[in-house]
Amino acid sequence: MYAKSAATIANIIEAAQGLFLTRNYADVTMAHIAVAAEVTKGALYHHFASKEALYLTMMHKFLAEIYTLTERVVRESAARPCRERLYLFTHSFLDLPERQQDLMRLVRRDINIFKDPARDQLVRAYQRALPEQAEAIIRQGIAHGEIQEKDPRLLSWEHVAMVEVVLRPYSRAVLGDAHATADFVINLFFDGLGNQQ
């Protein structure tokens, strides 16, 4: 019984992801999700009391997976130089399936739909998964003299913002695969765009 319930929840979440990625939050209904997941509305409401509860569960599950990935990269690369660590961190995210990368856009798109404490919890999960992991690498880079002494939190947000820009279809078409895109982001972050004399 438990395995069947877990499979049903996973199926519902996957169906909801597809709908939220292609439609605005307000345009997705529980009826749409039930049809996409091929479950009855009763089964859907058995697992999720509302569209908001389903959406937040979906996003927290996704962000927990991203945190597991990025925290492992940060931990396992601790002995490497800052530039290499930040590349590995960036590449690990850019190498995810496109659908998972696209889910990250939902955080920014939909964050103001929710009220606290749900909004704050979603923001914290996002920060834990990406900016705080980048900040840990940058702090160590500053401590080792590899990066100028600037505010590491600000630098981490700037780095994550660059990554978010390259998730767009246009950027993907221009920059290429995960390796080339990670190289672009890291080179821009460390070297800027000025011509080297």
Side-chain angles (χ1 to χ4, degrees), residues 46-78:
H46 172 73
H47 294 292
F48 300 100
S50 66
K51 177 174 77 170
E52 179 175 320
L54 170 52
Y55 182 94
L56 291 171
T57 298
M58 175 188 82
M59 290 307 294
H60 281 288
K61 178 182 180 300
F62 166 69
L63 291 168
E65 291 167 359
I66 298 301
Y67 169 76
T68 298
L69 170 72
T70 58
E71 188 277 333
R72 180 179 49 79
V73 171
V74 170
R75 183 175 23 85
E76 291 178 358
S77 68

Short mmCIF file of all heavy atoms in Angstrom, two decimals, residues 46-78:
data_model
loop_
_atom_site.label_atom_id
_atom_site.label_comp_id
_atom_site.label_asym_id
_atom_site.label_seq_id
_atom_site.Cartn_x
_atom_site.Cartn_y
_atom_site.Cartn_z
N HIS A 46 -6.80 13.49 -1.81
CA HIS A 46 -6.38 12.62 -0.72
C HIS A 46 -4.91 12.89 -0.37
O HIS A 46 -4.52 12.86 0.80
CB HIS A 46 -6.57 11.15 -1.10
CG HIS A 46 -5.97 10.19 -0.12
ND1 HIS A 46 -6.54 9.95 1.12
CD2 HIS A 46 -4.85 9.43 -0.17
CE1 HIS A 46 -5.79 9.08 1.78
NE2 HIS A 46 -4.76 8.75 1.02
N HIS A 47 -4.11 13.17 -1.39
CA HIS A 47 -2.67 13.38 -1.18
C HIS A 47 -2.31 14.86 -0.99
O HIS A 47 -1.34 15.17 -0.29
CB HIS A 47 -1.88 12.80 -2.35
CG HIS A 47 -1.97 11.32 -2.45
ND1 HIS A 47 -1.40 10.47 -1.52
CD2 HIS A 47 -2.59 10.53 -3.36
CE1 HIS A 47 -1.64 9.23 -1.86
NE2 HIS A 47 -2.36 9.22 -2.97
N PHE A 48 -3.08 15.75 -1.60
CA PHE A 48 -2.77 17.19 -1.53
C PHE A 48 -4.06 17.97 -1.30
O PHE A 48 -4.99 17.90 -2.10
CB PHE A 48 -2.10 17.65 -2.83
CG PHE A 48 -0.81 16.93 -3.12
CD1 PHE A 48 -0.78 15.88 -4.03
CD2 PHE A 48 0.36 17.28 -2.45
CE1 PHE A 48 0.40 15.21 -4.29
CE2 PHE A 48 1.55 16.60 -2.71
CZ PHE A 48 1.57 15.55 -3.63
N ALA A 49 -4.09 18.73 -0.22
CA ALA A 49 -5.30 19.46 0.17
C ALA A 49 -5.65 20.59 -0.78
O ALA A 49 -6.81 21.01 -0.86
CB ALA A 49 -5.15 20.01 1.59
N SER A 50 -4.64 21.11 -1.50
CA SER A 50 -4.88 22.24 -2.39
C SER A 50 -3.79 22.31 -3.44
O SER A 50 -2.76 21.64 -3.35
CB SER A 50 -4.87 23.55 -1.57
OG SER A 50 -3.56 23.77 -1.04
N LYS A 51 -4.03 23.17 -4.43
CA LYS A 51 -3.02 23.39 -5.47
C LYS A 51 -1.76 23.98 -4.84
O LYS A 51 -0.64 23.59 -5.20
CB LYS A 51 -3.58 24.34 -6.54
CG LYS A 51 -2.57 24.68 -7.62
CD LYS A 51 -3.19 25.48 -8.75
CE LYS A 51 -3.39 26.93 -8.37
NZ LYS A 51 -3.77 27.77 -9.54
N GLU A 52 -1.92 24.89 -3.90
CA GLU A 52 -0.76 25.49 -3.23
C GLU A 52 0.05 24.42 -2.50
O GLU A 52 1.28 24.40 -2.60
CB GLU A 52 -1.20 26.57 -2.24
CG GLU A 52 -0.02 27.19 -1.51
CD GLU A 52 -0.42 28.34 -0.60
OE1 GLU A 52 -1.28 29.15 -1.00
OE2 GLU A 52 0.14 28.42 0.51
N ALA A 53 -0.62 23.52 -1.80
CA ALA A 53 0.09 22.46 -1.07
C ALA A 53 0.85 21.56 -2.04
O ALA A 53 2.00 21.18 -1.79
CB ALA A 53 -0.89 21.63 -0.25
N LEU A 54 0.24 21.24 -3.17
CA LEU A 54 0.90 20.42 -4.18
C LEU A 54 2.11 21.14 -4.77
O LEU A 54 3.20 20.58 -4.87
CB LEU A 54 -0.10 20.04 -5.28
CG LEU A 54 0.47 19.37 -6.53
CD1 LEU A 54 1.33 18.17 -6.22
CD2 LEU A 54 -0.68 18.98 -7.46
N TYR A 55 1.91 22.39 -5.14
CA TYR A 55 3.01 23.18 -5.73
C TYR A 55 4.18 23.29 -4.76
O TYR A 55 5.33 23.06 -5.14
CB TYR A 55 2.50 24.57 -6.10
CG TYR A 55 3.55 25.43 -6.76
CD1 TYR A 55 3.65 25.48 -8.14
CD2 TYR A 55 4.44 26.19 -6.01
CE1 TYR A 55 4.61 26.26 -8.75
CE2 TYR A 55 5.40 26.97 -6.61
CZ TYR A 55 5.49 27.01 -7.99
OH TYR A 55 6.45 27.78 -8.59
N LEU A 56 3.89 23.62 -3.51
CA LEU A 56 4.97 23.78 -2.53
C LEU A 56 5.67 22.45 -2.26
O LEU A 56 6.91 22.42 -2.14
CB LEU A 56 4.42 24.38 -1.24
CG LEU A 56 3.96 25.83 -1.36
CD1 LEU A 56 3.24 26.27 -0.09
CD2 LEU A 56 5.12 26.77 -1.68
N THR A 57 4.94 21.36 -2.20
CA THR A 57 5.56 20.04 -2.04
C THR A 57 6.47 19.75 -3.22
O THR A 57 7.60 19.28 -3.05
CB THR A 57 4.48 18.95 -1.90
OG1 THR A 57 3.70 19.21 -0.75
CG2 THR A 57 5.10 17.56 -1.80
N MET A 58 5.97 20.02 -4.42
CA MET A 58 6.75 19.80 -5.64
C MET A 58 8.05 20.60 -5.61
O MET A 58 9.13 20.06 -5.87
CB MET A 58 5.90 20.23 -6.85
CG MET A 58 6.62 20.18 -8.18
SD MET A 58 5.61 20.93 -9.50
CE MET A 58 5.98 22.69 -9.25
N MET A 59 7.97 21.87 -5.26
CA MET A 59 9.16 22.73 -5.28
C MET A 59 10.13 22.38 -4.15
O MET A 59 11.35 22.38 -4.36
CB MET A 59 8.76 24.20 -5.21
CG MET A 59 8.08 24.69 -6.49
SD MET A 59 9.01 24.37 -8.01
CE MET A 59 10.45 25.42 -7.77
N HIS A 60 9.62 22.05 -2.97
CA HIS A 60 10.52 21.68 -1.87
C HIS A 60 11.23 20.37 -2.17
O HIS A 60 12.41 20.21 -1.85
CB HIS A 60 9.76 21.62 -0.54
CG HIS A 60 9.53 22.98 0.05
ND1 HIS A 60 10.55 23.72 0.62
CD2 HIS A 60 8.41 23.73 0.15
CE1 HIS A 60 10.06 24.87 1.06
NE2 HIS A 60 8.78 24.91 0.77
N LYS A 61 10.54 19.44 -2.81
CA LYS A 61 11.16 18.18 -3.20
C LYS A 61 12.28 18.45 -4.20
O LYS A 61 13.39 17.93 -4.09
CB LYS A 61 10.11 17.23 -3.80
CG LYS A 61 10.67 15.90 -4.28
CD LYS A 61 9.55 15.06 -4.89
CE LYS A 61 10.03 13.71 -5.37
NZ LYS A 61 11.07 13.76 -6.39
N PHE A 62 11.99 19.27 -5.20
CA PHE A 62 12.98 19.62 -6.21
C PHE A 62 14.19 20.32 -5.59
O PHE A 62 15.34 19.97 -5.86
CB PHE A 62 12.33 20.50 -7.28
CG PHE A 62 13.32 21.19 -8.18
CD1 PHE A 62 14.08 20.46 -9.08
CD2 PHE A 62 13.50 22.56 -8.11
CE1 PHE A 62 15.00 21.10 -9.90
CE2 PHE A 62 14.42 23.20 -8.92
CZ PHE A 62 15.17 22.46 -9.83
N LEU A 63 13.94 21.31 -4.75
CA LEU A 63 15.05 22.06 -4.15
C LEU A 63 15.87 21.20 -3.19
O LEU A 63 17.08 21.39 -3.08
CB LEU A 63 14.51 23.32 -3.45
CG LEU A 63 13.98 24.39 -4.41
CD1 LEU A 63 13.21 25.46 -3.65
CD2 LEU A 63 15.09 24.99 -5.25
N ALA A 64 15.25 20.25 -2.54
CA ALA A 64 16.00 19.31 -1.69
C ALA A 64 16.93 18.45 -2.54
O ALA A 64 18.07 18.17 -2.14
CB ALA A 64 15.04 18.43 -0.89
N GLU A 65 16.47 18.06 -3.73
CA GLU A 65 17.32 17.28 -4.64
C GLU A 65 18.51 18.12 -5.13
O GLU A 65 19.63 17.63 -5.21
CB GLU A 65 16.50 16.79 -5.84
CG GLU A 65 15.48 15.73 -5.48
CD GLU A 65 14.47 15.47 -6.59
OE1 GLU A 65 14.54 16.13 -7.66
OE2 GLU A 65 13.60 14.59 -6.39
N ILE A 66 18.24 19.39 -5.43
CA ILE A 66 19.32 20.28 -5.87
C ILE A 66 20.31 20.50 -4.73
O ILE A 66 21.53 20.47 -4.93
CB ILE A 66 18.76 21.63 -6.37
CG1 ILE A 66 17.86 21.40 -7.59
CG2 ILE A 66 19.89 22.60 -6.70
CD1 ILE A 66 18.52 20.74 -8.77
N TYR A 67 19.81 20.68 -3.51
CA TYR A 67 20.70 20.84 -2.36
C TYR A 67 21.59 19.62 -2.19
O TYR A 67 22.80 19.75 -1.97
CB TYR A 67 19.90 21.08 -1.08
CG TYR A 67 20.76 20.98 0.14
CD1 TYR A 67 21.63 22.02 0.49
CD2 TYR A 67 20.77 19.83 0.94
CE1 TYR A 67 22.45 21.92 1.60
CE2 TYR A 67 21.59 19.73 2.04
CZ TYR A 67 22.44 20.77 2.36
OH TYR A 67 23.27 20.66 3.45
N THR A 68 21.03 18.43 -2.29
CA THR A 68 21.82 17.20 -2.16
C THR A 68 22.94 17.17 -3.19
O THR A 68 24.08 16.84 -2.88
CB THR A 68 20.91 15.96 -2.30
OG1 THR A 68 19.95 15.99 -1.25
CG2 THR A 68 21.71 14.67 -2.22
N LEU A 69 22.62 17.54 -4.42
CA LEU A 69 23.61 17.57 -5.49
C LEU A 69 24.69 18.60 -5.22
O LEU A 69 25.89 18.30 -5.26
CB LEU A 69 22.92 17.88 -6.82
CG LEU A 69 23.84 18.17 -8.00
CD1 LEU A 69 24.53 16.89 -8.47
CD2 LEU A 69 23.04 18.79 -9.15
N THR A 70 24.30 19.84 -4.94
CA THR A 70 25.29 20.91 -4.81
C THR A 70 26.12 20.77 -3.54
O THR A 70 27.33 21.03 -3.55
CB THR A 70 24.62 22.29 -4.86
OG1 THR A 70 23.63 22.40 -3.83
CG2 THR A 70 23.97 22.54 -6.21
N GLU A 71 25.49 20.34 -2.45
CA GLU A 71 26.24 20.16 -1.21
C GLU A 71 27.30 19.08 -1.38
O GLU A 71 28.42 19.22 -0.88
CB GLU A 71 25.27 19.79 -0.07
CG GLU A 71 25.90 19.77 1.31
CD GLU A 71 26.63 18.48 1.64
OE1 GLU A 71 26.27 17.42 1.08
OE2 GLU A 71 27.58 18.53 2.45
N ARG A 72 26.98 18.02 -2.10
CA ARG A 72 27.96 16.95 -2.35
C ARG A 72 29.13 17.48 -3.16
O ARG A 72 30.29 17.20 -2.86
CB ARG A 72 27.29 15.77 -3.07
CG ARG A 72 28.25 14.62 -3.35
CD ARG A 72 27.59 13.45 -4.05
NE ARG A 72 26.78 13.80 -5.20
CZ ARG A 72 27.27 14.07 -6.42
NH1 ARG A 72 28.57 14.03 -6.64
NH2 ARG A 72 26.46 14.40 -7.41
N VAL A 73 28.85 18.27 -4.19
CA VAL A 73 29.92 18.84 -5.02
C VAL A 73 30.81 19.74 -4.17
O VAL A 73 32.05 19.67 -4.25
CB VAL A 73 29.35 19.61 -6.23
CG1 VAL A 73 30.44 20.38 -6.94
CG2 VAL A 73 28.65 18.66 -7.18
N VAL A 74 30.21 20.58 -3.35
CA VAL A 74 30.98 21.49 -2.49
C VAL A 74 31.85 20.69 -1.52
O VAL A 74 33.05 20.97 -1.36
CB VAL A 74 30.03 22.45 -1.72
CG1 VAL A 74 30.79 23.22 -0.65
CG2 VAL A 74 29.35 23.40 -2.69
N ARG A 75 31.28 19.68 -0.91
CA ARG A 75 32.02 18.86 0.06
C ARG A 75 33.15 18.08 -0.60
O ARG A 75 34.28 18.07 -0.13
CB ARG A 75 31.03 17.92 0.76
CG ARG A 75 31.62 17.05 1.84
CD ARG A 75 30.56 16.23 2.59
NE ARG A 75 29.32 15.97 1.90
CZ ARG A 75 29.11 14.96 1.04
NH1 ARG A 75 30.07 14.12 0.78
NH2 ARG A 75 27.93 14.80 0.47
N GLU A 76 32.86 17.43 -1.71
CA GLU A 76 33.85 16.57 -2.36
C GLU A 76 34.95 17.34 -3.07
O GLU A 76 36.02 16.77 -3.35
CB GLU A 76 33.16 15.61 -3.34
CG GLU A 76 32.30 14.57 -2.64
CD GLU A 76 31.57 13.66 -3.60
OE1 GLU A 76 31.68 13.84 -4.84
OE2 GLU A 76 30.86 12.74 -3.11
N SER A 77 34.74 18.60 -3.35
CA SER A 77 35.76 19.39 -4.06
C SER A 77 36.54 20.31 -3.11
O SER A 77 37.31 21.15 -3.56
CB SER A 77 35.10 20.24 -5.15
OG SER A 77 34.27 21.25 -4.57
N ALA A 78 36.38 20.13 -1.82
CA ALA A 78 36.94 21.06 -0.82
C ALA A 78 38.43 21.30 -0.97
O ALA A 78 38.92 22.39 -0.66
CB ALA A 78 36.62 20.57 0.59
#
